[in-house]
């Protein structure tokens, strides 16, 4: 049968085992990368965390997340190693602007300090509206209760 058409086909049972090891190592490495990316995309804190959609541009691997608390807004972006995190106190938020597209919305949170605004691309429209409502509600509560005095300064009644 040495002259048959199938004599040139490699029999997988007699192939060297290193091919199988390379294949398994490739699958394992791929699974580790997928697990790493999946873990980095989970919510980074408890509470009102809004994650951008992975379908939006710039958020495919590590979606941007925004945490809104009664005292601050935290903009969080995971990276392969480490993270980028920016926090703004409620007293320093000047305005919240939403630009709505066909599928997703962009949220701009401008500060009163004159620095660059926090820009969050690719949030669902309902999440963007909820973010704005939460920020405005927390600001209202903050200013109605009276802003707390800074620690260790300002009082000259000695």
């Amino acid at each position: 049968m040495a002259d048959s058409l199938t004599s040139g086909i490699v029999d997988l049972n007699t192939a060297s085992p290193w091919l199988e090891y390379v294949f398994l190592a490739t699958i394992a490495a791929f699974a580790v990368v997928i697990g790493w990316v999946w873990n980095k995309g989970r919510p980074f804190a408890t509470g009102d965390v809004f994650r951008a959609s992975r379908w939006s541009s710039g958020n495919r691997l590590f979606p941007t997340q925004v945490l809104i608390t009664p005292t601050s807004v935290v903009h969080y972006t995971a990276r392969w190693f480490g993270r980028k995190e920016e926090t703004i106190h409620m007293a320093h938020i000047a305005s919240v602007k939403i630009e709505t597209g066909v599928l997703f919305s962009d949220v701009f949170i401008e500060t009163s300090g004159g620095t660059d605004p926090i820009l969050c691309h690719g949030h669902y429209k309902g999440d963007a509206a909820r973010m704005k409502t939460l920020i405005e509600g927390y600001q209202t509560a903050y200013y109605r209760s009276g802003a707390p005095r800074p620690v260790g300064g300002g009082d000259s009644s000695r």
Side-chain angles (χ1 to χ4, degrees):
M1 289 283 221
D3 294 333
S4 73
L5 291 174
T6 60
S7 64
I9 297 177
V10 176
D11 184 11
L12 292 178
N13 294 331
T14 62
S16 63
W18 68 270
L19 288 174
E20 186 175 323
Y21 295 138
V22 168
F23 178 73
L24 290 175
T26 303
I27 295 297
F30 187 70
V32 167
V33 169
I34 293 296
W36 184 276
V37 169
W38 186 265
N39 189 36
K40 289 279 195 169
R42 291 183 9 207
F44 75 100
T46 58
D48 292 313
V49 177
F50 299 92
R51 290 187 305 162
S53 172
R54 288 189 189 262
W55 292 102
S56 62
S57 66
N59 294 307
R60 303 266 190 256
L61 289 178
F62 306 120
T64 296
Q65 301 180 39
V66 177
L67 169 66
I68 300 175
T69 69
T71 58
S72 64
V73 174
V74 180
H75 182 237
Y76 176 90
T77 304
R79 295 183 176 174
W80 282 107
F81 299 102
R83 65 184 179 263
K84 177 183 174 187
E85 194 172 313
E86 184 177 357
T87 304
I88 298 177
H89 194 274
M90 279 298 165
H92 299 290
I93 295 176
S95 68
V96 179
K97 182 171 85 172
I98 300 174
E99 288 186 4
T100 303
V102 175
L103 296 176
F104 303 112
S105 295
D106 296 336
V107 179
F108 299 88
I109 301 171
E110 296 183 10
T111 65
S112 59
T115 62
D116 293 333
I118 290 180
L119 174 59
C120 311
H121 290 290
H123 288 279
Y124 294 106
K125 294 178 182 181
D127 285 351
R130 176 83 174 127
M131 289 167 64
K132 183 176 181 180
T133 302
L134 277 174
I135 291 170
E136 289 172 348
Y138 287 146
Q139 280 186 317
T140 301
Y142 176 80
Y143 287 114
R144 279 196 182 149
S145 68
R149 302 183 114 192
V151 175
D155 190 15
S156 61
S157 62
R158 289 188 193 185

